[in-house]
């Protein structure tokens, strides 16, 4: 078992937010990255994170390192995946437990930015430190395969939203334009959203309707971005 | 970063198989456990697993330790979750990357059994070593919340199956009896299975029909127990 000593543990976090993209017609996914200030990968951009102290829970370490570097404090982080290929770090072997969260743009605007913290478009990343390009690719894959049958899009929006805002999320995640009329028919047929009867406040002649997610009849399907059962529903005394 | 040295890494695996249960009317979920032959938790039952060598990939270590202890070699293991609470081990801190797989009963029958390896009904476990009761509870929760909208049940069955066999899987996972006629109507209405036109070979007057899963129109939904994109679709050179 002496070989175990060679493996270090770290946590990293992928934060996705929806932001307007000056270079395209629609909103796209962005994420905050932190510039490395030491070796290995000095000066390269990396996911927020750090080594795991001996007495800190994994999610707590992810939340702390995220907050220390970016100022962000998402309501909850979900564990995404653990990356442990022996060759993923140029230094000694590091196994990284990766967390992720989707944040509303209001929350994203609270992030500190500066020389060493910056937001990047998820589809136009530079070469990142470690295997962090691969980690972001994996997170995007998870997002894209989940958006069709879950309420992931909801995490990017407020309690109520317009059909146009919801389409923005789907377009950003799927990276393609969606026909507004088809999108409306598909979403309405799915029964997944409910017309609140209210409209966006404003002076337009026909302000857009506000919708919310339909919570009925979905008991069998957990919110993929809801609290982890590991911290909520499962007894911790075993 | 010196605190990192205090954290050891391990892998463990949860293997579920469907087995007939002498104490109940229907099939239930079983899993193989291994008796500990050293401290901590000497003589207690635990998930198959072990420490992570410095040069072995996570999934490879999980597959190797599973095979060494139980003789099982599932076609693929999926990463389930990483458990890392500071107090989860009575010895020093251990972070465990947990894999899981569902195996057909034919595959399950290949397992070695003896004084130190035994199958247990998932809902009647003794007190296990470490936090392994909690890990099994988490795996069961994941299974139950996924079975409704995925093809997890398929992993327990062969290429073709009868409606009765499919109902057995749903009953075992959901831990409740399902009305055969309602089950047939619901499954047929879902369009998720296809009548192969064949029937079970045998001498009965009306042998049961054989079905297979309908693979059309599901491109957007990955098989939750298919190969991990981490090993298939994602470039590994970043």
């Amino acid at each position: 078992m002496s070989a175990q000593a060679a493996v270090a543990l770290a946590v990293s976090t992928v934060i996705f937010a929806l932001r307007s993209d000056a270079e395209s017609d629609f909103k796209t996914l962005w994420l905050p990255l932190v510039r490395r200030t030491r070796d290995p990968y000095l000066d390269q951009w990396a996911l927020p994170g750090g080594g795991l102290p001996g007495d800190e829970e994994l999610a707590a370490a992810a939340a702390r390192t995220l907050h220390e570097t970016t100022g962000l404090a998402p309501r909850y982080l979900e564990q995404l995946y653990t990356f442990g290929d022996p060759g993923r770090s140029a230094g000694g072997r590091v196994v990284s437990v990766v967390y992720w969260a989707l944040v509303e743009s209001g929350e994203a605007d609270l992030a500190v930015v500066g020389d060493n913290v910056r937001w990047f478009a998820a589809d136009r990343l530079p070469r990142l430190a470690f295997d962090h390009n691969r980690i972001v690719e994996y997170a995007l894959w998870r997002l894209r395969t989940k958006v069709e049958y879950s309420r992931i899009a909801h995490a990017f929006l407020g309690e109520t939203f317009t059909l146009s805002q919801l389409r923005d999320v789907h377009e950003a995640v799927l990276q393609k334009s969606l026909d507004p009329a088809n999108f409306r028919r598909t979403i309405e047929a799915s029964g997944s959203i409910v017309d609140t009867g209210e409209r966006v406040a404003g002076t337009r002649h026909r302000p857009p309707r506000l919708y919310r997610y339909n919570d009925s009849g979905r008991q069998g399907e957990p919110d993929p971005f809801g609290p982890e059962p590991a911290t909520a529903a499962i007894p911790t005394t075993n």
Side-chain angles (χ1 to χ4, degrees), chain A residues 80-235:
Chain A
L80 173 67
Y81 200 80
T82 296
F83 292 81
D85 284 356
R88 62 179 292 277
S89 167
R93 184 174 184 189
V94 182
V95 170
S96 251
V97 183
V98 179
Y99 283 76
W100 66 333
L102 313 180
V103 298
E104 298 172 47
S105 48
E107 200 172 357
D109 289 341
L110 299 177
V112 173
V113 288
D115 283 350
N116 292 323
V117 183
R118 197 181 299 167
W119 288 80
F120 290 81
D123 58 352
R124 293 194 304 276
L125 294 181
R127 185 182 181 88
L128 306 182
F130 304 101
D131 57 351
H132 289 187
N133 289 90
R134 181 186 173 200
I135 292 174
V136 174
E137 282 303 310
Y138 178 74
L140 287 169
W141 176 85
R142 280 275 292 268
L143 201 55
R144 284 171 187 144
T145 54
K146 273 185 168 181
V147 76
E148 294 292 353
Y149 63 88
S150 77
R151 292 180 293 170
I152 279 185
H154 191 26
F156 286 117
L157 301 170
E159 273 305 300
T160 61
F161 45 84
T162 67
L163 275 178
S164 168
Q165 288 173 324
L166 186 60
R167 200 178 70 244
D168 281 348
V169 173
H170 283 252
E171 288 182 337
V173 170
L174 299 173
Q175 286 196 298
K176 61 180 180 188
S177 293
L178 300 170
D179 177 72
N182 282 343
F183 181 77
R184 172 188 295 268
R185 272 193 295 272
T186 303
I187 287 287
E188 288 180 348
S190 75
S192 61
I193 64 171
V194 176
D195 188 339
T196 64
E198 292 167 18
R199 289 173 180 268
V200 176
T203 57
R204 288 170 59 179
H205 173 54
R206 288 186 57 193
R209 292 175 189 275
L210 284 168
Y211 294 80
R212 61 172 173 79
Y213 269 92
N214 181 4
D215 289 324
S216 67
R218 301 182 68 93
Q219 290 78 7
E221 181 181 346
D223 185 341
F225 279 86
E228 281 295 313
T231 57
I234 291 178

Side-chain angles (χ1 to χ4, degrees), chain A residues 68-87:
Chain A
E68 285 172 356
T69 51
T70 68
L72 287 167
R75 277 164 298 173
Y76 46 79
L77 299 173
E78 184 190 50
Q79 196 184 101
L80 173 67
Y81 200 80
T82 296
F83 292 81
D85 284 356

Side-chain angles (χ1 to χ4, degrees), chain A residues 53-67:
Chain A
D55 58 353
E56 194 171 33
E57 291 194 359
L58 298 171
R64 177 183 53 77
T65 54
L66 175 68
H67 190 257

